[in-house]
Amino acid sequence: MVDETIEVAIRASAPRSRIVTCLDVQHPDSPSGPVRVVNDTSDIEVGGEQYISTHFQAQLAADVERQAPRAQIVIGNIGRELSNWIEAVGGGAGGTIRIFEVLISADGIAGAPEWEIEMDIGAITVDDLVTVTLGFDPLLNRPAVSLRYDPQTAPGLF
């Protein structure tokens, strides 16, 4: 008979379920819908949608003075489908990417997303890898008022 403490340790080092990260790359001009990929070795189905397996990794945003922070996701080029999609949407700027994690059970069934975040796409570049530059609209860097009355914008008042 196995002690309960040892059983917990075995499960911790060899869990029955695993967590995988998925991406939904969406663009309003996409003729074929979003691109869906999963950071795993095999394709999975989440919420009735098929996710293509490939390797990707995140690069954290650099803290550069006077610049909005921009993170990147580097995706392994999964073939001509992804390149065609990027060309169809004109480089990807203006799209969004949804990043979420799901728990895959031992029998390969994906559960509901554990957490998710959606970010804006600044640009997508393609070479050996596909690099998606992420960011957000720098709301805090905008002026408080859209038009200020001063001698340059309203010369007749001054």
Side-chain angles (χ1 to χ4, degrees):
M1 184 156 178
V2 178
D3 185 8
E4 184 178 324
T5 309
I6 295 172
E7 187 173 314
V8 169
I10 290 170
R11 286 190 181 155
S13 61
R16 293 185 182 178
S17 330
R18 58 193 163 86
I19 296 176
V20 296
T21 305
C22 301
L23 303 177
D24 273 345
V25 185
Q26 304 172 13
H27 197 279
D29 296 337
S30 171
S32 60
V35 172
R36 295 182 174 97
V37 295
V38 60
N39 198 7
D40 200 15
T41 56
S42 60
D43 295 354
I44 64 167
E45 185 175 312
V46 178
E49 302 292 345
Q50 191 69 24
Y51 286 78
I52 301 168
S53 65
T54 189
H55 174 72
F56 58 83
Q57 62 185 14
Q59 295 177 349
L60 298 178
D63 190 14
V64 179
E65 191 173 329
R66 298 187 184 267
Q67 235 180 24
R70 299 276 183 214
Q72 292 184 331
I73 294 182
V74 181
I75 305 170
N77 197 341
I78 54 175
R80 196 73 192 135
E81 302 90 21
L82 184 57
S83 299
N84 288 342
W85 187 90
I86 293 168
E87 289 174 10
V89 298
T96 59
I97 187 166
R98 181 176 152 233
I99 307 163
F100 63 96
E101 288 187 341
V102 294
L103 188 65
I104 307 290
S105 64
D107 53 356
I109 298 174
E114 298 291 323
W115 68 267
E116 65 182 79
I117 185 170
E118 189 168 322
M119 298 188 75
D120 296 330
I121 296 174
I124 300 177
T125 56
V126 180
D127 46 25
D128 295 349
L129 301 170
V130 176
T131 305
V132 182
T133 304
L134 307 174
F136 57 90
D137 188 15
L139 181 64
L140 297 177
N141 289 340
R142 289 192 204 159
V145 292
S146 58
L147 180 63
R148 190 176 69 202
Y149 288 99
D150 60 15
Q152 293 171 338
T153 59
L157 295 176
F158 294 93

